[in-house]
Amino acid sequence: MAAESKAAEGAELVFHPMDQFIVKPLFGDGTVNFFTITNVTLWMALTVLAIAGLMVIGTSRRATVPGRMQSIAELAYGFIRKMVEDVAGKDAVPYFPYIMTLFMFIVFSNFLGLLPAAFTTTSHIAVTAVMAVAVFVSVTVIGFVKNGTGFLGLFWIGAAPLPLRPILALIEVISYFVRPVSHSIRLAGNMMAGHAVIKVFAAFAPMVLISLGIGVVVTPLSILAITAIYALETLVAFIQAYVFTILTCVYLKDALHPHH
């Protein structure tokens, strides 16, 4: 009876889709301190190495007829530069390296997170919040350096009727300070949700080994769902990097040209 109970207990469908987001130390007794090397540290380092490898190796020869890596590097460069010019204007080109770095880090983190047994660093608000706050502080400083107190014109809507201007100014101030919150949560939330859904469907994939009757139906459906969601997550990985970057360009435009 005890053996049967253990077998039944082992056959239960148990899954924890959020366990994949737990920060774990690579060495030591499991305690995470400020300087502990964790799975997050590892995958952030791999992201930096992958970006450096693409940009250094891809541009090392600079052939007239580009190879694959050079084509990808040039495509990324041209894509982000055009985004900066189109959204924030020619005045924002000096800040292109920073925006390019943001995009490459996010998009590589997102794509590496799709690998089996990988850790998606952009699924953690601690990572995305640092980037969002850095963007917020940077554009605010740029706004005051470039425009002085004229930067405050961003919050004063001169085209609105005079009685409404103070109310709209208050709304603009609140929305401005909410920017880093929405900027960071949007990226982390989308990456976390997609990976959690994949994990849930993956838990149903071995159902055929537990119950042959229902498993014959559930297992193929779960595999089909995993494939579809994985394809969607591949698209989301790029879109979320694009959204984060284009919002950075929008905020930069407001800093350079604050008057409505």
Side-chain angles (χ1 to χ4, degrees), residues 10-72:
E12 288 180 1
L13 185 65
V14 179
F15 58 94
H16 305 281
M18 304 307 289
D19 283 358
Q20 60 183 307
F21 305 114
I22 297 175
V23 177
K24 300 176 182 177
L26 298 182
F27 312 101
D29 58 357
T31 304
V32 177
N33 297 313
F34 189 77
F35 294 104
T36 303
I37 300 176
T38 64
N39 49 355
V40 181
T41 312
L42 171 65
W43 284 97
M44 289 180 74
L46 291 175
T47 299
V48 173
L49 289 175
I51 297 169
L54 171 64
M55 303 309 292
V56 173
I57 298 174
T59 59
S60 58
R61 295 185 179 182
R62 293 188 291 276
T64 305
V65 180
R68 292 181 181 177
M69 292 190 71
Q70 184 179 338
S71 297
I72 295 172

Side-chain angles (χ1 to χ4, degrees), residues 4 32 34 51 84-85 98 113 160 164 169 198 217 234-235 243 253:
E4 290 178 6
V32 177
F34 189 77
I51 297 169
V84 172
E85 292 180 352
Y98 176 59
L164 292 178
I198 291 176
V217 178
T234 304
L235 182 61
V243 169
K253 179 184 178 181

